[in-house]
Amino acid sequence: MVIQCTHLNQIRKVTPSTRGCRECLMLGDPWVHLRVCLTCGHVGCCDESKNKHATRHFLATHHPIIQSFEPGEDWMWCYVDEVFMD
């Protein structure tokens, strides 16, 4: 059975809020990889980073879909349906 994302209607044309993880920049902390929220444009660090700001953003806002903000990567992840999309 193929799991499909049921939240594609929440994707918006967004402008990334920063060029790095917004919260890590304020804290002066490093990050590993960046993710952009496809509902509002928030840029946060991935779960491999110590602060996990992309996931924290999802937990606070319930914005379901992020996209990799890394050069050359174009995948998306739906937190709610727990599915990767190319």
Side-chain angles (χ1 to χ4, degrees):
M1 181 169 103
V2 176
I3 299 172
Q4 304 253 337
C5 175
T6 59
H7 300 89
L8 297 175
N9 64 333
Q10 295 186 42
I11 294 175
R12 306 283 179 260
K13 182 175 179 160
V14 298
T15 300
S17 60
T18 59
R19 299 186 96 187
C21 175
R22 181 180 180 146
E23 291 86 355
C24 285
L25 288 168
M26 290 189 292
L27 294 168
D29 283 345
W31 58 80
V32 178
H33 299 287
L34 298 172
R35 311 294 181 236
V36 62
C37 173
L38 294 182
T39 300
C40 71
H42 173 271
V43 176
C45 57
C46 71
D47 285 355
E48 293 176 17
S49 302
K50 88 175 190 183
N51 294 308
K52 304 177 183 182
H53 286 122
T55 295
R56 287 183 184 197
H57 176 74
F58 162 70
L59 294 172
T61 63
H62 304 287
H63 294 166
I65 302 174
I66 57 170
Q67 184 171 26
S68 175
F69 198 51
E70 295 297 313
E73 295 183 2
D74 196 29
W75 58 265
M76 298 179 291
W77 168 257
C78 178
Y79 283 104
V80 178
D81 295 320
E82 296 183 341
V83 62
F84 277 102
M85 298 163 279
D86 288 322

